[in-house]
Amino acid sequence: MEDLKLAIIYYSSTGTNYQLSNWAKEAAEEVGVEVKLLKVEELAPPAAIESNKAWKKHHEATKEVPVAKLEDVDWADALIFSIPTRFGNLPSQMKQYLDLLGGLWAQGKTINKVVSAMSSAQNPHGGQEQTIHALYTSMMHFGAIIVPTGYTDESIFAAGGNPYGTSVSVDSEGNMQEDVQAAVRHQTKRIIQIAKWIKNGLASL
Ligand SMILES: Cc1cc2nc3c(=O)[nH]c(=O)nc-3n(C[C@H](O)[C@H](O)[C@H](O)COP(=O)(O)O)c2cc1C
């Protein structure tokens, strides 16, 4: 079987979801998967970015990260999304990316993608779970196979116990308040394992 292909697609204003995505990438590379780390296009007006020091700094620091193309979803066997909450919902930047996938969806090319999601918010209960659910709702419409973390590893308890996907809260300086690196690594290895079972199973039919 050819190598499993994983696309990690994120949006981040101030770096949290970029960090979560990088931890996922490291874990995926350790198990020999072909990985793409991709950001969705920034849609906010330059004046908004300029007005927030942390946002501006992160925006400039990640200029070289490739922007996710629609074909990246077609390329990938498995997808990890990482997004900050926006009032309990997806950031518009990620929503726009999903909305543009209508063409691929119409060709049946979103079916059976193996998907998992991560999130962050400023408060410990600021909408992380709901944000992951909002993304998973779209994934159901895609015919994707959602892989939640459940309580499949001790690291999930230590990370705050979100069974839908790893999530974290950040203080006003952007520092993560829970230790979630191990949970991200577990989530990544779990989705890879399940995606391999599915890919191998399909290949053997
Ligand atoms: C428009 C907007 C809405 C937000 N809504 C919430 C919210 O409802 N609850 C919360 O705890 N944090 C909220 N936040 C904080 C972000 O979720 C937080 O800054 C983000 O998770 C940090 O991730 P990042 O560093 O990857 O951008 C909001 C931020 C913005 C800009």
Side-chain angles (χ1 to χ4, degrees):
M1 189 190 75
E2 58 174 306
D3 283 348
L4 191 90
K5 299 187 189 82
L6 171 71
I8 303 165
I9 303 179
Y10 76 94
Y11 175 74
S12 185
S13 294
T14 53
T16 313
N17 287 272
Y18 178 56
Q19 177 64 77
L20 299 178
S21 299
N22 270 294
W23 285 333
K25 179 171 182 273
E26 281 164 26
E29 284 171 346
E30 280 170 23
V31 291
V33 165
E34 216 181 315
V35 195
K36 288 186 184 180
L37 174 69
L38 305 161
K39 65 184 181 196
V40 293
E41 205 172 345
E42 181 57 87
L43 302 175
I49 300 170
E50 281 291 319
S51 69
N52 178 324
K53 222 165 101 187
W55 193 357
K56 185 175 178 219
K57 189 172 164 211
H58 178 71
H59 185 67
E60 280 167 8
T62 52
K63 274 218 151 42
E64 302 307 319
V65 177
V67 172
K69 300 188 293 300
L70 304 179
E71 309 86 75
D72 290 315
V73 165
D74 191 23
W75 170 85
D77 301 301
L79 299 160
I80 295 178
F81 292 100
S82 192
I83 44 173
T85 197
R86 293 291 183 258
F87 308 128
N89 221 314
L90 306 179
S92 54
Q93 293 86 345
M94 182 60 80
K95 183 68 168 62
Q96 156 114 327
Y97 181 69
L98 297 185
D99 290 351
L100 292 173
L101 288 169
L104 276 189
W105 169 86
Q107 297 168 58
K109 290 185 171 175
T110 58
I111 294 171
N112 291 343
K113 297 294 172 187
V114 182
V115 170
S116 203
M118 309 188 284
S119 186
S120 68
Q122 189 147 13
N123 298 279
H125 306 285
Q128 293 92 330
E129 295 187 358
Q130 185 57 37
T131 300
I132 290 174
H133 269 255
L135 187 120
Y136 285 168
T137 297
S138 294
M139 293 304 111
M140 290 183 216
H141 290 242
F142 279 16
I145 299 167
I146 298 167
V147 177
T149 47
Y151 295 105
T152 51
D153 191 72
E154 281 301 314
S155 60
I156 292 151
F157 297 98
N162 184 344
Y164 310 112
T166 307
S167 65
V168 70
S169 57
V170 291
D171 67 14
S172 55
E173 304 293 312
N175 302 303
M176 293 195 203
Q177 299 302 293
E178 300 86 21
D179 185 0
V180 299
Q181 185 174 3
V184 172
R185 291 173 57 77
H186 169 72
Q187 182 172 2
T188 304
K189 291 188 176 179
R190 175 172 156 77
I191 183 181
I192 289 168
Q193 180 65 74
I194 291 171
K196 280 184 179 169
W197 290 339
I198 290 167
K199 195 169 181 178
N200 282 331
L202 286 170
S204 68
L205 286 177

